[in-house]
Amino acid sequence: DKPWTIPDLAAAKRNGAKLAMLTAYDAGFARTLDANGIDLVLVGDSLGMVMQGHGSTLPVTVDDIVYHTANVARGLSRALLVADLPFQADATPERALDAATRLLQAGAQMVKLEGAGHKLEVIRFLVEREIPVSAHLGLTPQSVLRFGGYKVQGREEAAAKKLREDALAVAEAGAQLLVLECVPSPLAAAITQAVPIPTIGIGAGPDCDGQVLVLHDFLGLDSGHRRPRFVKDFLTEGGSVAGAVKAYVAAVRDGSFPDAEHSYA
Ligand code: KIV
Ligand code: NA
């Protein structure tokens, strides 16, 4: 298979291809994901929780993401590599440009940032400077203090309307991918229809253009926290890490993951 490029994302949306994404933090897992059909790999700031043992993503630094991105990049030959801008690295356009430049120089092909609002200006600033951007809306974990916990977003009509508007706005600002986290399936489906860029769901139902899970959740490791509804252990089913990746890719492609049991109505 030929390596994924940024323009392939728009082509995937046009063709209705389903995208399978997982997080990774090191070269060994990256290699196994890459060899078994994963399209997109994310070096998420979830590393603050699953690698470092923190209770949130807020302590993660740009140095942390750069380190893991460099390691993951060495393990990939085909999958597209996305890296998170950690908490406040995107607070201003200039800070975001500095951090994103380091992430691309470490091997990322795209950076992801959370939210809309003042982040729209950040997205435009990066995209104009040749930095591909993924947006991330819904349950944005860097908003945990304001949210008061990790809760499904967009349940009320006003919140759903705001989420739809934000999704259109991040695409308009130049984002080329949109992660939707913990939003009711019908809302994620409506947003996926409305935006011209691929949506990647996590706890966002089966109708997104792709799916993402945190590697450790996908392997059934105990996070030390209450297990969110959308988490599925593919290791038991797959029998090995490679088998789990193959089972996940197949389930994302044929639309059997997530089912109703792993989604919010
Ligand atoms: O940090 C992360 O792993 C993420 C995914 C959950 C989308 O942002
Ligand atoms: Na993240």
Side-chain angles (χ1 to χ4, degrees):
D1 285 304
K2 79 172 189 46
W4 273 87
T5 65
I6 295 294
D8 294 334
L9 295 174
K13 181 81 180 188
R14 282 196 302 277
N15 301 335
K18 287 275 194 182
L19 305 172
M21 185 179 204
L22 284 172
T23 69
Y25 314 96
D26 66 61
F29 276 104
R31 198 171 295 112
T32 299
L33 270 43
D34 194 85
N36 289 283
I38 288 293
D39 304 305
L40 308 165
V41 171
L42 173 66
V43 178
D45 62 356
S46 53
L47 72 84
M49 300 168 96
V50 300
M51 292 275 110
Q52 300 172 335
H54 294 295
S56 80
T57 59
L58 306 190
V60 176
T61 66
V62 175
D63 285 346
D64 293 336
I65 306 270
V66 167
Y67 172 78
H68 288 282
T69 297
N71 291 344
V72 167
R74 291 182 204 110
L76 298 183
S77 56
R78 184 189 149 272
L80 188 99
L81 180 52
V82 184
D84 268 349
L85 287 175
F87 190 50
Q88 303 308 357
D90 57 355
T92 67
E94 289 76 13
R95 284 182 70 162
L97 178 61
D98 287 346
T101 300
R102 292 186 61 200
L103 295 175
L104 264 55
Q105 289 175 337
Q109 289 156 284
M110 177 176 247
V111 300
K112 178 164 75 58
L113 60 87
E114 299 182 4
H118 83 92
K119 302 291 183 70
L120 298 172
E121 183 196 349
V122 178
I123 295 171
R124 272 191 295 270
F125 192 86
L126 294 178
V127 170
E128 283 169 358
R129 285 160 184 78
E130 309 297 359
I131 299 186
V133 174
S134 171
H136 181 163
L137 297 172
L139 197 181
T140 45
Q142 292 173 17
S143 314
V144 63
L145 298 178
R146 177 165 57 84
F147 289 161
Y150 298 102
K151 299 167 186 168
V152 179
Q153 300 296 308
R155 283 217 195 268
E156 286 79 36
E157 184 44 45
K161 180 166 174 286
K162 173 77 164 55
L163 205 49
R164 277 196 298 272
E165 290 167 0
D166 285 350
L168 290 168
V170 296
E172 178 65 34
Q176 289 173 281
L177 194 68
L178 170 58
V179 170
L180 292 173
E181 181 163 353
C182 290
V183 305
S185 306
L187 177 58
I191 290 172
T192 298
Q193 284 268 319
V195 297
I197 58 176
T199 60
I200 306 287
I202 172 163
D207 297 318
C208 294
D209 297 307
Q211 299 292 328
V212 60
L213 284 177
V214 170
L215 180 69
H216 291 55
D217 292 341
F218 151 90
L219 294 175
L221 296 186
D222 180 356
S223 68
H225 302 278
R226 190 171 57 85
R227 201 167 212 265
R229 175 182 180 96
F230 57 81
V231 167
K232 184 173 171 194
D233 163 9
F234 280 88
L235 186 57
T236 303
E237 172 181 340
S240 66
V241 175
V245 175
K246 286 198 178 87
Y248 172 71
V249 170
V252 170
R253 296 239 196 280
D254 71 16
S256 59
F257 178 79
D259 54 15
E261 189 193 332
H262 296 93
S263 305
Y264 303 97

